[in-house]
Each structure stands twice: as C-alpha cells, then as structure tokens.
Amino acid sequence: MNKTEIKQIHARGEELRDFIVETTIEIARVRTVNYDPADYPGEGPDGMDLPGHEARVVERLERVLDGWHLPHHREGRIPERPALFASVGRKEKGARRMMLLLHTDTVPSGDRSAWRFDPFDAHEKGGKLYGRGVLDNKGPLVSALAAFKIISEQAEQIPGEVIFAALPDEEVQAGYGLDWLLANGKIACDEAVVPDIAGEMKEINIAEKGRLGLSITVRGKSAHAMDPSQGVSAAYGLAQLVLELEKMKMPHTKHPILGRPTLNVGIIKGGNAANAVPDLAQAVVDIRYVPGQKEAAIKKQIKDLCAGIAKKRKGLRFTVEARRGAPPIAVKPDAPIVKTILAHAPKAQIVGTGGGTFAHALVEQGIDAVGWSPGNEKTYHQANEEIAVKQLTTYAGRLAAVVLDRVAG
C-alpha cells in the first residue's frame, strides 16, 4: 500500500467513531463476569449465576455482522459460552490466514466502594469510556471489529483469509475458550494479533512468562477458643507460610525481555467461627516464571517451605496441588508480523509480559501470535476501568492497515 492508501485506511477508524463508542457501551453494560465457582461458593460475583455467560454479548455482535452482511458462525463447548467467528477473503489454498483474537468475558468488579460509578453502567465522558470491560477487552474488541469492517471492504484483494474471533473464558481458562477450540480443531491460522495488552499501541508483546497456579491447603486440629492450646491452628500455619512466600527467592536467570519471576498470594480462606480454632485454611498462589525455570522445581521449593513449617508446628499437614500452568513462550523479534506492525507503528517497543493472553496457547501451537493494543494498562483489572476513545478509533484504522499489508495480494 502507498502512503495515500494507508492514510485513507487510518481515517476510516475515526469515521467509525460513533459505532465504536455506542457498541462498546452496549456490550460493556452486559455482564459477562467470569469466575471460578470454587472461589465463589453459592452465588457468583456481580449477580452472576453462570461464569461468563458470553452468549449475551455474542448475540449483539452477531446483529452487527448481520447488518454488514458478513458471514459468521458460533463454536463452543456449551451454548451459553460460545466463540464467535467471522471471516473474509478468497480463502485460496496456501494463502496466508490471519486472525484477530479477542475475548468477551471480564473479571469481577471487586470492591464496589472503590468505584466512582456503577461498574456496569458504561458511559462516555470527556473523551473516555468508563466501565468494567471497556479496556479489558470489550473496547479493543469493538475496535478490532471496526477494523474487520474496514478490511472486509477489500475482501476481494485478500487471497487468503482474515478471521475475527471473539472468544469466551479468557480470564479463568476453565476449558470453555481457546483451549477447547484448539483441542477440537476449531482454530486455523498462520498469524494472529491479540489486542489484549494495552500499551497505547507503543508496545508489541512477543513473549509471556510461564504461569503456575497452586492451591495450598493446611489442616490442623479444631478446639474451643476458650483453650486454643488443645488445637492446632491451620490459620497460623498458613499465615507463617504466606510470610515465608513473601520472602522466598526463586532461583533464575533474569530474562532480557521478561525480567524476573513473580509470586502473588491471591486468595486466603479459613475458619468457620471466631470461637473455634480453625482446622482448615487455604490459599491460592499465582506464580509467573521465566525461561530456565521449571514448574517442578518451583513446586518443590514451596513444598519444602511447607515441610519446614510443619516440622516446627506439630500437627499441621500441608497439601500443595497444581491448579493451572503454562510454560513461557516467545515469538522471534524479527518475525514478519512484528516487522509489519513496526512499519505502521515505528515508535513501538518490543516487550514481554507477566500476564497471560490468548497468544500464549497459539505460540505453543507454532503460530506467530503477538499482542498489540490500544489503551493504558493502569486500570487493568482495577476499579474505575477506562480507555480513551481516540485510542480505539486510531487502533481500528491502524490494525486494518497492518492486516491488509500482510494479507492483501
């Protein structure tokens, strides 16, 4: 494409501003809060009776695609949690297939007192969109859908295929999203852009840390609080472990892109009455590790900490179980998709992340998948989530130009 053509494509993003704003607000007001039911016994967070329930957003996106007369279809493990696919291009054998991969679920809103507004009353104010999901990932989702609209206008010039995919279950990855689709042969592409890292289009994420989730259970002996010495407190045992984990140093070599490993104790539960010594306490630990580290070695290090505490506090038993895991991944810095993005965003930096995105599983499958996104990460998974409208409109035009540069004949 010449400079005039690129400029025209970029301008189309701004022309679709009203669509991007209105559609983002509409789908952000629809609760698709994802969660692990084990973490929320009984009722789910934010009034959810089913994790995700992403079909409610998919229905709205389907109406958009119908209005544009673009074919689409659903795939999914259960009807309430489908993935939505739409594609354009001549689909010639051997031609490049590129996917735009985003997600329709969100994290819970958390502490409502931390929000300045109702998290599910998405709205525009002062050139920004506010509400749970506008940044992660519904704003970028709609921006990418707008880019797909622009791309579709040149469908006959695409020998291969461009696929827009809106998937469920990214935030928990409980077997309803990308993992299920890959296992069932529903994903087919050569390259992918995953707009799920923020970075204001100034970062190209080519690497992700490994992830290891551990459930740690501590068992002790219950007793009446009038004489705690008759029991063995699982709470004290877990508290000591948490303090040890905070100080724990994991052997590693600092990675040039991913840096150092991290450990976070995300959930702590235990006890059932103030007047009883708790005989059960549990924690969920999230570890992000770098190349050179091994899951087995990390798990052993934590088991050794538990054994040391149990030796000092007689009567405690620790159980450490793997909850989820994925190895570190990386795309080559000089991969063609990276070079093309740099041509359209020359000031972008090549980076890595400790967060997990859909790119992770795709790279494991041999697909060059990179993160490149609009938005500022400061409100990722936090209260008062926001994204600038200009980021979304600019991204729509730039993403369309990048894709057409890669796939148009």
Side-chain angles (χ1 to χ4, degrees), residues 125-246:
K125 182 178 180 181
K128 291 184 178 181
L129 298 180
Y130 295 89
R132 175 55 86 219
V134 296
L135 171 64
D136 183 18
N137 189 225
K138 292 177 178 178
L141 173 73
V142 175
S143 180
L145 183 58
F148 184 71
K149 162 65 172 170
I150 299 167
I151 293 163
S152 72
E153 295 165 359
Q154 300 192 36
E156 289 304 313
Q157 298 181 34
I158 301 171
E161 187 177 14
V162 178
I163 306 154
F164 170 83
L167 273 54
D169 193 26
E170 191 271 349
E171 298 293 359
V172 175
Q173 298 181 33
Y176 296 90
L178 182 58
D179 45 3
W180 183 90
L181 293 162
L182 286 169
N184 288 274
K186 306 298 184 181
I187 298 288
C189 63
D190 305 302
E191 296 176 339
V193 176
V194 182
D196 194 20
I197 66 160
E200 298 182 328
M201 295 166 279
K202 297 176 182 178
E203 298 177 347
I204 305 170
N205 181 53
I206 67 166
E208 294 186 7
K209 291 180 180 179
R211 183 177 183 183
L212 174 61
L214 297 175
S215 292
I216 302 174
T217 301
V218 188
R219 290 180 171 85
K221 179 183 177 183
S222 184
H224 198 288
M226 65 181 180
D227 188 2
S229 66
Q230 297 300 309
V232 180
S233 174
Y236 287 149
L238 181 59
Q240 185 173 344
L241 176 62
V242 169
L243 292 174
E244 293 289 338
L245 289 173
E246 185 180 24

Side-chain angles (χ1 to χ4, degrees), residues 23 36 42 114 133 142 171 175 312 317 344 372 385:
T23 307
D36 187 337
V142 175
E171 298 293 359
K312 295 176 182 177
R317 290 178 292 125
H344 290 268
W372 181 55
E385 189 172 341

Side-chain angles (χ1 to χ4, degrees), residues 385-402:
E385 189 172 341
E386 65 177 52
I387 191 168
V389 174
K390 184 64 176 176
Q391 283 280 307
L392 296 175
T393 57
T394 300
Y395 185 71
R398 289 189 183 180
L399 178 61
V402 165

Side-chain angles (χ1 to χ4, degrees), residues 5-79:
E5 291 172 328
I6 293 173
K7 187 175 181 180
Q8 290 172 343
I9 292 171
H10 285 180
R12 290 285 287 121
E14 184 59 37
E15 291 169 9
L16 290 166
R17 184 189 192 282
D18 289 347
F19 163 77
I20 291 171
V21 170
E22 292 168 8
T23 307
T24 299
I25 289 174
E26 180 184 5
I27 67 172
R29 288 179 175 176
V30 177
R31 301 185 191 203
T32 53
V33 177
N34 200 0
Y35 60 96
D36 187 337
D39 297 333
Y40 294 88
E43 184 179 353
D46 298 311
M48 298 294 293
D49 59 358
L50 173 76
H53 213 309
E54 295 91 341
R56 295 184 289 200
V57 161
V58 167
E59 290 168 359
R60 288 158 172 80
L61 300 177
E62 287 174 327
R63 289 201 294 268
V64 171
L65 292 165
D66 286 339
W68 292 342
H69 305 290
L70 295 175
H72 54 83
H73 70 280
R74 295 185 182 193
E75 300 283 358
R77 179 176 163 186
I78 61 173

